Structures are given as C-alpha cells and as structure tokens.
Amino acid sequence: MTHTRRQFIGTIGAATALIGAPSILRAQAQGTFRIGALCPVTGSGSPFGSGMQKMIIAAAEAVNAAGGAAGRKIEIVSEDTQTSPQAAVLAAKKLIDVNKVQAVLGTWSSGVSLAVVPLTNDANIILMNTSGAPALSMPPANAKGLSYRFQATNDRFGRAFAEICEKEGFKRPATMAFNNASGVGNTEGFRKAWEAKGHKLVESVVYEPNQPTYRSELQKVLAANPDVIVTGSYLADTTIIMREWYQSGQPVKWVMPGWAASPDLVKAVGPDVVEGVISVDSVSNENAPSYKAYDEAYRKATGQPGQSNVYAAMTWDMVHVLALAIEAANGTDMAAINAKIREVSNPAGQQVYTYAEGKEALKKGKINFEGASSVLDFDQYGDVTPDFGVFFIEGGQLNRRYVVKI
Amino acid sequence: MFYAQLLVNGLVQGLVIGLAALSITLVFGIARFPNAATGDFMTFGAYAALSAHKATGSIAMGGLAAIIATGVISLLAYLAVFRRLAERSVVALLVASIGIAFFIRAVLGVAFGHSQQVFQVPLSRPYVFGSVRITPLDLQLAAVALAALALVFAILYLTPIGRQMRAVADNRDLARVSGIRPDRVMIALWLLAGSVAGVAGMMLGIKTIVTPEFGWEMLLPAFTAAILGGIGSPVGAVVAGLLLGVVQEVSTPFVGFTYKIALAFIIMLAVLLVRPRGLFGRLEGAR
C-alpha cells in the first residue's frame, strides 16, 4: 500500500511539473499580449463555437499583420467550454493560472459567462461574452466593469419579441422558457414589454433541460388557446417541442430566438413543421466595411458565408476593440486598457472599420470603431444594442422580412 | 381527461426509463456492480440505429443494428475490462465503467461530431380517443419496448441460459458447485444487457435527438428506477420506470415542470424509508 501511495504521489509530482514548467517558461515571454479564446466548440453551442474561435484567431492575425498592439503581438490560447459551466470554469482556470492570459474572449451561453465572470474579476482581467442574461450587466457579475457583452441582452430580445408580436397583430401570446438565465430572461423581457403595452399573457411555462418529452408542457400551454407562442429556448429542446407540437395538430404561430430557430432546426424537423415560424436574431452590421473584412475572413476560414454565424462577427469585433484599446493605452496595464474600451468604440471620434485604419487614426486623435456585429456603442453596463432581424421560415428557408430597432 | 393525457405521456416516458433500468439491474444482479456505462451504451445503440436507418431507410434495420452493435460493444467491454476486474471491489468496477462511458462518448464525438442528429421519421397526426391523443409513433415505440421486454423475460425464465443467469444472480457459489460455468453466463448477460440498452437508446433517439451526451443524461432517472424497483429485480426495474414516468407527468399540475424531477427522487426516498429493499427487491444477507 505504501508502495502504491508513493507511486501515486510521484505521478502527481510529475504531472504538476509537466503542467507547471511550460507556464513558467511562457510567463517569461516578452512582447506578447495573451488572449484566451474560450468558445463553445462542443455541446449545444457547437454550431457556432468553432467559427467563433477561428475568427478570434483570424482577427489576431490581422492585428499582428498591422504590427501588433502597443508594440506587442497578440497570442491566442484556445479552449472549449463544452457549453457547460463546469467545463468552462476548469478551462478558464487553466487559461488564467497556467497560460496567464490577460483577457478571456468568446464565452457564449449565459450559464457559462456567469460562471466564468467571477474568475476573470478575481484575476482583474477583461471578459468579453456573447451571452444574453440580464444578470451579467449588474454587480456582482459586472462589479468591476471588466465584462463586455457583444450580444443583445435577453431583455432586449424580449422587447424585440413584443414589438414583433404587436406588428404581426397577435392578441393571445403564451411563453415557453428553458429554465436558465437566458431562456427565462427572454420570456420575462417579453412579458414586461408586452404588459407595458397594456396587453396580457395567456399562459407561461418554464421547462427543464434534457427531458425525453415536452408533451405535458405543450399540453398546458396549448390548453390556454394562444395565437402565438414566444420562446426562450435552444436548438435541442426546440427540436423535440416542435415535433411534438406538430403531432398535436393545434395551429399556433411561433416567435423564437435565432439560436433556436436556425437552419439546423429546419434540417432536424423538416420544412413542413417549421413553416411560418418567426426567428429573431440580432443582425450584423452588414453594410459596414468592417463586416466585409469579417465576411472575407470567415469564408476563408470555414468556407461558409459570414451571415451563417452572427457570433463569429462578435468575436471578430472583440479582438479588434481590445487591440485598439491596448494600442490607445500604449501598454498592458489592465486598468488603462479597460478605461480605453469605450473611448475607442463609442461615438465622437473618427469612424474606423479595420485595425490598421484605427491604429493609424489613433495617432491623430479619438476614434470610433464600428464593428462587424453592430456599431458597438457600449452603455454604462458594457452592453450594446444591435438591431434585430425578423426572419420568416418559408419553404425551409429563413427569409428576412424586416429589421426591428428598439 | 386532462390527467388521462398526462398518464399517456408518462407511460411513454416510463418505458424508456424502464428499459434502461432493466439493463442496469441485470448487470447489478449478476455482475454485482452499478454499470455507469449503461447511458453510453444507449448512445452507442442510438448512433448504430441512426447509421443503419440512414443507410437502409428502415427503422427495423435500425433496431436490429442497435441490438447487435450494442450487444457486441457491451460484450467487448466485459472481455477487455470487467472480466479482468471481476475479483476487485465494487468501486473498482464502478470507476472502470465510468471510464468506459467516457471512452465511448469521446469516440462517438469524434466519429459523428457533437451537433445534434435526428431520425428522419415521418411525423403523423395522433389518434384521438375521447380527448386523449396518442401518436402512431408512440404506439409503435411502445410495441417495440414491450416486445423487447417479452423477449428478455422469455430468455430469463424460459431458456436454460436464463435459468443459469438467475441461478448465478441468486447465489454465485452455489451455482458454481452445481456445475454452471460462470463464463458462459457472463457472456450471455453482457450481450443481453447491451442489447436492452441499445433498444432503449434507439427509442429515446427516435423520440428526441441524438447527441454524444444524451444517454449519459438519462443515467440518473434509470438508476433511480433500478433502485426503486429493487436492485437486481427485472420486473421491478420496468415497473419502477413506468411509475417514475407517470408520477412525474401527473404531478405537474400540482408541482410544476421544474420540480417534477425532484418529485421522482422524493418518491424513491419515501419508498426506501418504508421498504429499503425497493419495490420488488429481496432481502439479502450481509456478504
């Protein structure tokens, strides 16, 4: 027994040395600014994650090609959140403690971002996410003002849903929400905006993940006879719900967030089932030159059009904003960089669309980076307000009918 | 009538849980350890069925593929790992099964990717009985589950190898001195347990979606049913699975959808407090 214990301790020691050694070596490297690319490569975010990570790398290449930021090259360390808070926390710990990254970019689902933000706060480094949960705006999550959100909040999504329901003339909406901060955030945002317009909800259901069937949940919602069901849901549960709803035979319209009502949903359930579903997503800043640069990079990296992944446009912008802030701060002091983020991206200042352009313009004065994902004007909470595209699923295609501004 | 519909919803859900619990309880009764790889055997079965269904377009072929492939993978797990650990403690076997679970999941993730896949089965409108709606698909799945159960029980109670399996489950040493060769029994057991898990995986896959993690997520309800039914009791596992499914759904008007899962565990606790051996379990002396 003693023997095996000694072996065990030996193994642990060797493992520690293995993990520890390179970090000591790397920590000595000069002239780089290290960023963690923490994206949902596997799990329910997998349709987006690898594209997001590729765009962080591509944007860093663009920055390095323009001579780096504040004289330093950007170096990317990639990790996978598995779209699971537990896995994300382990990965973030590794990025912060072992790789010594100075910023973490690209967390996707709200559960993941809410789990990672205490770690980045403790380390006094920046977190840039694409999550929707309203809780990410306020303390304690954003107590230090180090967290930036490149996606619309779920609350803003809910407000957009309410605008759309009013425009489409729905009278009896019901809601169905996946039980997490994001899902409930969507439907609560909708409820508040809808009731503020003087209307009422007929039913609301919150359901659990990973259930083999959602028939009872549907039964309850459909019993209230709604004319539209507004969801805060994800792809997996929406797939099951849509199939079971179709089999119930009761006609109703659906308004869903774009990460649920995506081309993958059409592929999973077939075009007949999702005919007429309204899919709402923040739209990228498609007419801006920055979007063109992103689109080119995305096609080169993945062979897909940039429009197929709104989150990749956000991660592309993250690296740009961060690098411009480093350049403006002229150093790697985190407080100084953080103070520059709004300065390089919010109005007043020369509008710029690429890193090279921004770096040049910074020599002359203030700049306003207009991103590929949105115009990127951060409010006091570090949130942005993109526009929302309203897509109708028709014959298996997502056709954008109009854009809603809130 | 509202409750009748909930009852039907629960029965369908319960059949899947029951089959998974049956696989767990078979292994526990004979090999004497909780097999945490059962969930991933289910996933494996679902992918086997999915591949066969894509290749041939026939659900029956998919089912056959699930039964054979999962039976074989389960047997391989026994031959490569569990047989070598047979004399070790339960914990060693449990940890080994968790390792096999990770291994299967990782291989499936690499082979099929992590995005969700679905069985492209035609969706049809339900039959309406009074105000209760039952979909043809659910009826077919229920028939498959019942056929699988009938087959398993026929093997267990009507064939010589089944009698030997029950003898080993009853008293391993006594079985050995009576001339039963444990090796043959174990091979039959792992083939059977794997095939049952494969069928459960295919059913769950057809009802929902298939991802490399989806079987693992079913493990908790399946273990609950196996414990509730009385560990080692095949009938108990199936009855407890159905009970859990029905209770969860019928309770939703009172406790809501968030707490229905907790309710399953409360019931398990209550049963175990009153009847520690589970619903159909037998008292077992200290070993």
Side-chain angles (χ1 to χ4, degrees), chain A residues 121-201:
Chain A
N121 279 346
D122 283 349
N124 282 314
I125 63 175
I126 287 177
L127 174 72
M128 292 180 168
N129 68 68
T130 64
S131 311
L136 275 165
S137 306
M138 323 282 185
N142 201 11
K144 293 187 173 174
L146 286 166
S147 164
Y148 295 89
R149 185 202 309 263
F150 285 64
Q151 164 71 308
T153 60
N154 292 121
D155 205 57
R156 287 175 169 85
F157 263 93
R159 270 151 59 193
F161 289 167
E163 292 295 328
I164 294 160
C165 284
E166 189 161 65
K167 190 175 158 74
E168 296 294 326
F170 293 124
K171 300 278 180 257
R172 301 175 50 81
T175 62
M176 287 183 84
F178 186 97
N179 193 9
N180 72 4
S182 164
V184 177
N186 273 352
T187 54
E188 273 302 291
F190 172 75
R191 184 187 61 76
K192 276 187 280 177
W194 186 251
E195 287 176 355
K197 289 174 184 294
H199 308 301
K200 275 204 160 53
L201 286 184

Side-chain angles (χ1 to χ4, degrees), chain B residues 122-186:
Chain B
L123 298 177
S124 41
R125 301 293 188 196
Y127 303 124
V128 180
F129 302 99
S131 64
V132 178
R133 296 158 184 269
I134 302 176
T135 64
L137 183 66
D138 279 342
L139 281 182
Q140 288 159 12
L141 288 178
V144 168
L146 292 175
L149 287 176
L151 196 66
V152 170
F153 283 104
I155 290 173
L156 281 179
Y157 290 94
L158 299 178
T159 65
I161 189 72
R163 199 174 312 123
Q164 290 173 13
M165 284 166 78
R166 285 184 294 127
V168 173
D170 220 27
N171 188 325
R172 176 179 299 219
D173 296 330
L174 200 58
R176 193 171 296 172
V177 296
S178 318
I180 292 173
R181 294 222 302 273
D183 263 6
R184 282 190 55 206
V185 169
M186 292 312 258

Side-chain angles (χ1 to χ4, degrees), chain B residues 18-88:
Chain B
L19 274 176
L22 177 61
S23 176
I24 290 173
T25 221
L26 280 173
V27 173
F28 201 99
I30 298 168
R32 310 244 170 215
F33 73 95
N35 180 15
T38 306
D40 295 272
F41 285 165
M42 287 170 67
T43 318
F44 189 88
Y47 275 106
L50 196 65
S51 305
H53 179 238
K54 272 188 187 152
T56 64
S58 145
I59 284 285
M61 287 306 290
L64 205 61
I67 289 171
I68 295 171
T70 320
V72 168
I73 200 83
S74 150
L75 182 62
L76 284 178
Y78 165 67
L79 294 176
V81 179
F82 297 132
R83 187 171 58 170
R84 290 160 205 276
L85 299 175
E87 303 307 318
R88 301 286 187 84

Side-chain angles (χ1 to χ4, degrees), chain A residues 42-43 46 179 205-206 208 210-213 215-217 219-220 235-236 239-240 243-244 246-249 267-268 273, chain B residues 2 5-6 9 13 114-116 118-120 123-126 133 135 138 204 206-209 217 249 257-258 260-261:
Chain A
T42 58
S46 61
N179 193 9
V205 159
V206 175
E208 293 303 299
N210 301 328
Q211 295 299 297
T213 163
R215 205 164 286 152
S216 303
E217 286 83 343
Q219 193 182 332
K220 185 169 178 208
L235 178 61
T239 305
I240 301 167
R243 283 206 297 211
E244 291 181 338
Y246 187 72
Q247 291 176 329
S248 81
K267 210 168 73 191
V273 177
Chain B
F2 188 70
Q5 182 69 54
L6 290 176
N9 299 350
Q13 193 167 348
H114 285 267
S115 36
Q116 66 172 31
V118 291
F119 282 86
Q120 298 292 350
L123 298 177
S124 41
R125 301 293 188 196
R133 296 158 184 269
T135 64
D138 279 342
L204 186 61
I206 291 176
K207 277 189 68 61
T208 63
I209 54 162
E217 284 154 359
E249 293 310 309
F257 297 105
T258 304
K260 71 175 181 185
I261 300 163

Side-chain angles (χ1 to χ4, degrees), chain A residues 49-330:
Chain A
S50 91
M52 293 165 73
Q53 211 154 46
K54 282 177 182 153
M55 284 305 97
I56 292 179
I57 293 166
E61 280 166 5
V63 170
N64 291 340
R72 286 174 170 76
K73 294 274 176 204
I74 305 278
E75 189 189 321
I76 305 294
V77 186
S78 298
E79 275 297 334
D80 176 14
T81 64
Q82 301 174 25
T83 327
S84 134
Q86 292 91 331
V89 163
L90 287 178
K93 275 206 163 102
K94 181 239 167 200
L95 286 173
I96 294 167
D97 295 338
V98 179
N99 301 118
K100 312 274 183 219
V101 299
Q102 288 154 286
V104 173
L105 272 52
T107 54
W108 183 74
S109 67
S110 299
V112 164
S113 297
L114 284 165
V116 170
V117 76
L119 301 177
T120 52
N121 279 346
D122 283 349
N124 282 314
I125 63 175
I126 287 177
L127 174 72
M128 292 180 168
N129 68 68
T130 64
S131 311
L136 275 165
S137 306
M138 323 282 185
N142 201 11
K144 293 187 173 174
L146 286 166
S147 164
Y148 295 89
R149 185 202 309 263
F150 285 64
Q151 164 71 308
T153 60
N154 292 121
D155 205 57
R156 287 175 169 85
F157 263 93
R159 270 151 59 193
F161 289 167
E163 292 295 328
I164 294 160
C165 284
E166 189 161 65
K167 190 175 158 74
E168 296 294 326
F170 293 124
K171 300 278 180 257
R172 301 175 50 81
T175 62
M176 287 183 84
F178 186 97
N179 193 9
N180 72 4
S182 164
V184 177
N186 273 352
T187 54
E188 273 302 291
F190 172 75
R191 184 187 61 76
K192 276 187 280 177
W194 186 251
E195 287 176 355
K197 289 174 184 294
H199 308 301
K200 275 204 160 53
L201 286 184
V202 295
E203 184 61 272
S204 65
V205 159
V206 175
Y207 60 84
E208 293 303 299
N210 301 328
Q211 295 299 297
T213 163
Y214 291 105
R215 205 164 286 152
S216 303
E217 286 83 343
L218 268 170
Q219 193 182 332
K220 185 169 178 208
V221 168
L222 292 174
N225 233 344
D227 55 3
V228 63
I229 299 175
V230 175
T231 74
S233 59
Y234 290 90
L235 178 61
D237 39 298
T238 308
T239 305
I240 301 167
I241 289 173
M242 289 311 283
R243 283 206 297 211
E244 291 181 338
W245 161 70
Y246 187 72
Q247 291 176 329
S248 81
Q250 182 169 339
V252 68
K253 293 286 182 190
W254 295 83
V255 177
M256 297 179 182
W259 53 86
S262 65
D264 285 319
L265 180 69
V266 181
K267 210 168 73 191
V269 301
D272 291 348
V273 177
V274 288
E275 182 70 25
V277 168
I278 301 174
S279 168
V280 185
D281 212 338
S282 55
V283 283
S284 299
N285 196 8
E286 285 163 2
N287 298 319
S290 46
Y291 183 82
K292 203 165 152 273
Y294 151 73
D295 188 43
E296 247 164 52
Y298 195 77
R299 282 173 197 270
K300 199 172 140 212
T302 66
Q304 305 277 323
Q307 237 181 349
S308 63
N309 191 341
V310 288
Y311 304 102
M314 294 173 199
T315 59
W316 169 265
D317 286 346
M318 288 174 181
V319 178
H320 280 78
V321 169
L322 184 59
L324 286 169
I326 296 168
E327 178 73 21
N330 197 22

Side-chain angles (χ1 to χ4, degrees), chain B residues 226-244:
Chain B
I227 294 168
L228 178 59
I231 285 177
S233 159
V235 182
V238 176
V239 172
L242 287 172
L243 193 68
L244 282 189

